[in-house]
């Protein structure tokens, strides 16, 4: 749980006793490649911290899978509206590699929110971070070229470009796999 500890300490000031109590509510969960944390139409009961691996958030539109996001090491992920309001999830959260997660159940999360101001502060930070990420994705899909979106991802998350399958990256960027191949080739040519 060293990585989870570091991530929590990065975002909130927290004493050791409080941190240890919070960490005690997280349980390890292994997902094999292809396993789901939650499927669409199910109620999402867990918030997951990705300790290792890749977790893809996706949905089906017009019989085609659309990748919304790929979480890798150090990211939290959940189907937020389902987790918060106990409604059916719009999203599928699926391991695209073997994943080692730390998960906390919704009821435990709510208990910690009532018990610790630090956990409430963490949730507030996480919600702002999620909203800013959504705002950034909307802006990039409306006003940036495919090349600019790829370059931004390459700058911000270079390891993801190397680890995630091309079809999922392309979908997340809102482009075809062929376009992504051309962008990667251009990138290689620029470096050479």
């Amino acid at each position: 749980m060293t990585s989870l500890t570091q991530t929590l300490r990065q975002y909130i000031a927290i004493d050791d006793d409080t941190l240890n109590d919070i960490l005690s509510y997280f349980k390890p969960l292994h997902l094999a490649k292809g396993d789901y944390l939650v499927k669409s139409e199910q109620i999402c009961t867990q918030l997951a911290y990705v300790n290792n691996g890749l977790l893809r958030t996706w949905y089906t539109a017009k019989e085609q899978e659309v990748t919304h996001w790929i979480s890798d090491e150090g990211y939290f992920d959940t189907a937020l509206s389902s987790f918060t309001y106990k409604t059916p999830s719009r999203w599928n959260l699926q391991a695209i590699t073997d994943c080692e997660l730390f998960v906390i159940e919704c009821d435990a999360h709510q208990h910690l929110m009532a018990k610790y101001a630090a956990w409430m502060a963490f949730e507030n930070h996480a919600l702002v971070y999620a909203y800013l990420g959504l705002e950034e994705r909307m802006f990039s899909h409306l006003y940036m070229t495919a090349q600019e979106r790829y370059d931004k991802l390459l700058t911000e998350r270079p390891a993801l470009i190397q680890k995630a399958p091309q079809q999922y990256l392309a979908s997340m960027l809102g482009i075809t796999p062929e376009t992504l191949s051309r962008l990667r080739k251009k990138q290689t040519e620029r470096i050479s």
Side-chain angles (χ1 to χ4, degrees), residues 68 91 128-140:
H68 171 67
W91 306 102
V128 168
Y129 184 78
Y131 180 81
L132 293 175
L134 179 60
E135 185 180 81
E136 186 65 29
R137 284 183 47 76
M138 286 175 18
F139 179 84
S140 71

Side-chain angles (χ1 to χ4, degrees), residues 107-140:
D107 291 341
H109 169 72
Q110 293 298 326
H111 171 75
L112 290 175
M113 294 257 294
K115 188 174 181 180
Y116 294 117
W119 191 247
M120 175 73 81
F122 179 76
E123 181 182 61
N124 289 340
H125 170 78
L127 289 173
V128 168
Y129 184 78
Y131 180 81
L132 293 175
L134 179 60
E135 185 180 81
E136 186 65 29
R137 284 183 47 76
M138 286 175 18
F139 179 84
S140 71

Side-chain angles (χ1 to χ4, degrees), residues 24-87:
S24 74
Y25 288 89
F26 281 86
K27 304 300 177 208
L29 176 66
H30 173 81
L31 293 181
K33 179 180 178 179
D35 287 352
Y36 288 83
L37 181 66
V38 67
K39 290 183 178 182
S40 67
E41 302 304 318
Q42 293 178 339
I43 294 177
C44 183
T45 61
Q46 297 173 317
L47 170 67
Y49 175 80
V50 181
N51 191 53
N52 195 315
L54 299 174
L55 189 63
R56 178 173 76 118
T57 302
W58 64 278
Y59 64 97
T60 303
K62 299 178 184 172
E63 299 182 26
Q64 185 172 12
E65 291 183 7
V66 178
T67 299
H68 171 67
W69 186 253
I70 300 171
S71 293
D72 58 350
E73 292 86 2
Y75 279 87
F76 283 90
D77 209 342
T78 191
L80 186 59
S81 61
S82 179
F83 180 76
T84 303
Y85 298 112
K86 295 183 172 46
T87 57

Side-chain angles (χ1 to χ4, degrees), residues 171-183:
S171 180
M172 190 172 93
L173 290 168
I175 59 179
T176 65
E178 295 78 18
T179 300
L180 180 56
S181 289
R182 284 193 297 275
L183 295 175

Side-chain angles (χ1 to χ4, degrees), residues 2 16 74 81 105 116-117 121 168:
T2 305
D16 289 343
S81 61
E105 297 293 328
Y116 294 117
Y168 301 145

